[in-house]
């Protein structure tokens, strides 16, 4: 991965923001690790603590999108669906097309008060990523190998643990299995042709087994499926670096609430249902490309003040503590301590630059490029 090319002010913003994010994230991870002692004593208390800690950390990214860059998110939906968001547990189907698509989903979660309890079905490699991966793990997200023979037992076990989760939560499932690229789309449509499945123009072929397990395991706990289709006005492709440069984006999300009782229970019936849903999502994207809008009532997601408040408190604590520590270390004159401190700061800068780099679409994983290989 090459070095990131940024103008001076953007490089400073990225470095300061990244330092605060990495350091506060490591503090959060340490507190989450310590909270494991409460799991056998009171799961409810453990979950409350981790919901608060996870919310506080994800506020950094909400602040970056909604407050620093000034980007806006608009829902297109039926207004009678809005009263349910945040008051019920739901399985969320979301297209994975853009570098910052998850940020937009977190804006939705934050607006309706469930950012601290969100969960996601994610690839197991995320567990090796400090801060983001570890925080998601303690928040009881579900991780999979993306190989059905290895995942089917683990998914059922992990999802079953969420049956007694005491608060409403959103469980995001990226049914396409990986981020959309043109090469992955080409391969996916060859698989669709070989299996006699409908071709899609804007999505990859959905993988049905993980979604089917989620529906079966969360039935009785979840009330609905939220189908969210995301696009950006002007057909823009926003980037994380664009947010750092304060580029303002306008995200439009078509939100459809589908009661869970309308979804089949058996896998052989769920699979055709999901394929039909993705044909509808494809039609919605075509509608948006032609008209520049989604159908439905427009609801602009307002900004809540808690995200920048959390970020500001973390920034003050982290930067003051690092300054005080740096002064003490350099005054001590110890070459070893100075070397360790500089190594930590340098490692933090490298880490955040690498996180930005791997978020770029061209650096996405090659998962999904194996032609005709069945991964369900």
């Amino acid at each position: 991965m090459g070095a990131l090319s940024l103008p001076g002010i953007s490089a400073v913003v990225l470095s300061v923001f990244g330092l605060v994010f990495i350091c506060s994230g490591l503090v959060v991870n340490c507190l989450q690790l310590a909270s494991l002692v409460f799991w056998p004593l009171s799961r409810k208390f453990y979950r409350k603590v981790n919901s608060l800690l996870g919310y506080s950390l994800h506020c950094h990214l909400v602040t970056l999108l909604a407050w620093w860059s000034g980007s806006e998110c608009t829902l297109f939906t039926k207004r009678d669906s809005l009263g349910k968001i945040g008051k019920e547990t739901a399985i969320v189907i979301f297209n994975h097309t853009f570098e910052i698509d998850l940020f937009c989903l977190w804006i939705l979660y934050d607006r309706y008060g469930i950012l601290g309890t969100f969960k996601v079905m994610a690839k197991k490699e995320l567990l090796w990523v400090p801060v983001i991966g570890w925080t998601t793990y303690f928040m009881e997200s579900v991780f999979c190998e993306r190989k059905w023979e290895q995942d089917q037992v683990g998914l059922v076990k992990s999802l079953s643990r969420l049956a007694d989760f005491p608060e409403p939560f959103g469980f995001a499932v990226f049914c396409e299995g990986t981020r959309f690229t043109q090469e992955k789309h080409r391969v996916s449509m060859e698989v669709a042709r070989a299996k006699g499945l409908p071709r899609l123009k804007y999505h990859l072929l959905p993988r049905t087994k993980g979604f089917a397990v989620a529906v079966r395991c969360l039935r009785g706990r979840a009330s609905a499926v939220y189908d969210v289709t995301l696009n950006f006005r002007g057909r823009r492709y926003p980037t994380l670096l664009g947010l750092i440069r304060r580029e303002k984006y306008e995200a439009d999300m078509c939100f459809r609430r589908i009661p869970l009782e309308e979804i089949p229970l058996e896998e052989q019936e769920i699979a055709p249902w999901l394929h039909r849903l993705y044909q509808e999502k494809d039609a919605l994207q075509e509608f948006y490309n032609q008209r520049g809008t989604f159908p439905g009532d427009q609801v602009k997601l307002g900004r809540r003040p808690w995200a920048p408040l959390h970020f500001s408190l973390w920034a003050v604590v982290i930067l003051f503590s690092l300054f005080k520590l740096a002064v003490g270390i350099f005054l001590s004159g110890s070459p070893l301590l100075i070397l360790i401190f500089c190594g930590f700061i340098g490692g933090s800068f490298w880490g955040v630059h690498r996180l930005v780099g791997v978020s770029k679409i061209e650096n996405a994983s090659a998962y999904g490029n194996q032609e005709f290989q069945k991964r369900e």
Side-chain angles (χ1 to χ4, degrees), residues 91-288:
I91 301 170
V92 183
I93 297 177
F94 199 65
N95 56 314
H96 198 16
T97 308
F98 306 96
E99 288 185 20
I100 64 167
D101 45 23
L102 266 174
F103 289 29
C104 298
L105 187 58
W106 291 334
I107 291 287
L108 174 63
Y109 284 167
D110 182 49
R111 170 62 181 82
Y112 290 98
I114 54 173
L115 180 58
T117 59
F118 88 91
K119 287 106 180 47
V120 65
M121 185 181 292
K123 58 185 180 182
K124 205 164 188 176
E125 292 89 336
L126 190 63
L127 285 171
W128 297 99
V129 180
V131 181
I132 295 177
W134 297 348
T135 302
T136 306
Y137 168 79
F138 285 112
M139 293 175 71
E140 296 182 80
S141 284
V142 175
F143 297 89
C144 56
E145 297 277 0
R146 300 192 291 195
K147 296 178 182 178
W148 182 243
E149 295 77 14
Q150 301 178 25
D151 286 332
Q152 52 184 331
V153 176
L155 286 178
V156 171
K157 183 177 180 181
S158 297
L159 287 165
S160 297
R161 279 202 298 264
L162 298 177
D164 64 346
F165 198 88
E167 300 178 70
F169 62 88
F171 182 75
V173 181
F174 298 95
C175 296
E176 295 166 272
T178 184
R179 180 179 284 156
F180 182 98
T181 66
Q182 290 300 327
E183 174 61 17
K184 291 174 184 177
H185 180 258
R186 181 187 67 80
V187 173
S188 181
M189 292 306 98
E190 289 183 0
V191 174
R193 187 184 303 112
K195 293 183 176 182
L197 296 170
R199 289 173 56 81
L200 301 171
K201 188 174 180 180
Y202 303 103
H203 298 85
L204 306 180
L205 196 66
R207 301 171 187 273
T208 61
K209 291 188 176 180
F211 175 74
V213 171
V215 169
R216 287 199 299 270
C217 290
L218 293 179
R219 192 177 290 268
R221 181 65 184 87
S223 304
V225 165
Y226 295 166
D227 174 46
V228 184
T229 304
L230 171 69
N231 223 318
F232 287 87
R233 293 184 192 177
R235 303 186 71 173
R236 300 179 71 183
Y237 281 80
T239 65
L240 185 52
L241 290 182
L243 297 182
I244 295 294
R245 298 188 186 106
R246 301 199 75 177
E247 295 178 7
K248 181 178 179 178
Y249 302 115
E250 294 179 286
D252 291 331
M253 292 184 283
C254 183
F255 178 92
R256 299 187 296 169
R257 180 185 183 274
I258 306 167
L260 203 63
E261 58 265 22
E262 294 183 8
I263 300 174
L265 184 59
E266 299 301 322
E267 183 182 331
Q268 60 268 25
E269 297 176 336
I270 291 179
W273 181 92
L274 188 60
H275 286 298
R276 287 194 298 271
L277 182 75
Y278 267 79
Q279 292 175 61
E280 295 172 6
K281 290 173 74 68
D282 229 44
L284 285 170
Q285 286 284 22
E286 184 69 27
F287 183 95
Y288 189 92

Side-chain angles (χ1 to χ4, degrees), residues 324-365:
K324 188 174 180 180
L325 180 62
V327 170
I329 287 176
F330 281 96
L331 288 179
S332 73
S334 169
L336 179 60
L337 290 178
I338 293 174
L339 183 63
I340 292 173
F341 180 79
C342 290
F344 173 76
I345 298 297
S348 298
F349 287 156
W350 176 86
V352 72
H353 278 254
R354 178 156 181 80
L355 284 174
V356 172
V358 299
S359 73
K360 297 174 73 63
I361 289 178
E362 59 266 31
N363 294 329
S365 75

Side-chain angles (χ1 to χ4, degrees), residues 291-308:
R291 305 193 185 187
T293 186
F294 285 119
D297 297 325
Q298 296 188 36
V299 180
K300 193 173 291 293
L301 297 179
R303 299 182 179 95
R304 301 205 310 165
W306 308 117

Side-chain angles (χ1 to χ4, degrees), residues 19-50:
L19 187 62
V20 173
F21 181 74
I22 294 293
C23 292
S24 59
L26 292 174
V27 172
V28 165
N29 289 159
C30 289
L31 293 173
Q32 289 179 310
L33 181 62
S35 73
L36 283 175
V37 70
F38 297 111
W39 178 263
L41 304 174
S42 173
R43 288 190 182 186
K44 184 176 181 179
F45 182 75
Y46 167 88
R47 285 164 164 165
K48 197 71 175 177
V49 168
N50 279 276

